[in-house]
Amino acid sequence: NPDYADAHEGRATAIAAQGRPEEAEFSYLEAIRLNPENTTANLNLAGMYLKYGDSDRALSVYERLILLQPEVVGAHLGKSRALSALCRDGEAVDSIRHAAGLDPENEMLVLASEVYCPALMEGTDEIERRREEIDEALGRRTPGSILLNPDEILRWGTEPSFYLAYHGKNDLAIRSKYADLFRVDDLAEPKGSGEEIYRIGFVVTERHEGIFLSFMEGILKNMFDDRLEVNVICVEGSRKIISEKMGGSKMRYHVISQKFESALREIRAGRYDLLFYFEVGTDSFNYFLPFFRLAPVQCTSWGYPVTSGISQIDYFISSHLVESEDAEEHYRERLECLNALPAYYYRPKAPARPGSRTDFAISESENVYLCSQSLFKIHPDYDKVLANILRSDPVGQVVMIEGKHPNWHRCMQARFRENIPDVAGRVRFVPQMSRDDYLRLITMSDVMLDPFPFGSGNSAYESIAMGTPVVTLPGEFMRGRVTSGCYSKIEVLDCVASSPEEYVDIALRVGREADFREVVKDKILNENAMLFEDDSAVRELEGFFIRAVEAVRP
């Protein structure tokens, strides 16, 4: 029956679960052509667009569905998420509030309407105001007042805003207060494997495979301790991506369902002794899984470099190289600091063709200060730092990379015109690009700027590998200290500043003085080998996993 809309919708859902979005899109569209009011097909298609970063198309689907069925709560919620991704924050708030008004008994939905946080802030006053509003909203609620229903989590689940971490504040109190709102009734005590060989599971959720592999591929490939059985826990689409990148590795995979309630049962049935959540809080799936205590030991690390605030996560794995003296005050988890950085990072290969100014329409006479971080990392206070660099270097150009959506860099440009109008025209945005082109951009630049208070992660390794000097100012929190930790590892500290003023001075000296720049570059290239393929990180993690499991064994 080729005209049966529900069959096309069901086929699309099955194909999407296998990580085949293009084919799934075709079947969803066919289902909607046959029945424009097919609610499930519309919501799933728009949700898939959102997952894969196409917020404009997601928004158009949600808006069309709302015209046909204005009472569909999920359409208004999805519209809010799409608008938020497009930095249309006022409209996003209106949509989430409308959704909550349609279903006022839905506590998750009402909570989402109360704790909205934009990606890009106009200034520090807005940051303070938004955080106060969120804190007040959380304070009006009773701890444990929201029961977590596994069947509903992915539909309505509201993790703390991803963007809180970029405000330069200690998030311990606000994230703990947030996590404590949720309760799980009849929580089963995990048994673990009960075997002499300890079963370890690395949990990776969809759309986070790339960053997971950047930091953990070498860890997985080089764990050889006979006392550990290592597994990657992920959905089928993620398994395909990870296994292809891992090549001939004999890694074990535990493929779980995309349905949250099924995934809980499947992970629990695996009887893991320790679960390592690479990220906690970057999506609803990885935020809410730990609440259900699926292993005797649960830990996380710097995949998302901020405390989860969740009492059921036992450890946060970090490094002495990136933590401040009072770092324990930043985590609800027990802080476990390794001597090594908790990653085995493969050295990036230099591009076959070096970058040139003509590739990026930049004049040879200009000094290029590359600030390549995601735009939501650029704190409003950092605008003044960029201005001070540009005011002192008349031929300086700050180069940034556009956001996923055109509206992102337009919003950032508007903020620069407001905050630093005299030099805003010398902040240039280039389109997003392939990794090879990005490495060419790094090699072409005179200096990299590591923003603060939230700095580089992946790009710190890439820049140091290319030898391009990265100027950094270590912050109070680990999320602003990764670059300085990398420099400490290789014992090259020429570009590590101790104040914003010194940061500007170093950036200007590297940017304007070719001789000094070459001296620093040579130091980095001569010493950077110890940053890559670090076996000591693997051995330390193996030892920690064994100690942590043995500590809870009877």
Side-chain angles (χ1 to χ4, degrees), residues 225-267:
D225 196 301
D226 292 338
R227 292 168 290 180
L228 300 176
E229 176 196 297
V230 178
N231 301 261
V232 174
I233 303 171
C234 59
V235 300
E236 174 59 21
S238 297
R239 185 203 63 78
K240 290 180 179 178
I241 295 170
I242 295 170
S243 61
E244 181 178 347
K245 183 67 166 62
M246 295 277 283
S249 168
K250 297 180 180 179
M251 177 56 54
R252 296 178 178 86
Y253 294 92
H254 182 173
V255 176
I256 57 174
S257 172
Q258 289 186 323
K259 294 182 178 179
F260 191 87
E261 65 277 17
S262 299
L264 286 179
R265 291 194 299 270
E266 291 158 0
I267 296 174

Side-chain angles (χ1 to χ4, degrees), residues 350-356 359 436-437 440 443:
R353 178 176 62 84
S356 70
D359 291 339
D436 276 352
D437 284 340
R440 274 191 277 274
T443 61

Side-chain angles (χ1 to χ4, degrees), residues 58-68 79 83 88:
L59 179 61
S60 68
V61 175
Y62 287 127
E63 289 182 330
R64 184 178 66 231
L65 180 57
I66 288 169
L67 285 175
L68 295 170
K79 180 182 177 182
L83 288 165
R88 293 165 59 179

Side-chain angles (χ1 to χ4, degrees), residues 55 82 97 108 131 133 175 196 222 252 269 293 325-326 359 372 390 398 420 423 445 457 470 532:
S55 300
R97 288 177 178 169
M108 282 275 206
R131 292 179 71 93
E133 290 173 352
R175 290 183 183 275
E196 291 184 7
N222 291 281
R252 296 178 178 86
R293 178 56 82 174
E325 291 183 1
D326 61 347
D359 291 339
S372 62
L390 292 172
V398 169
I420 52 173
V423 293
S445 300
V470 191
F532 302 103

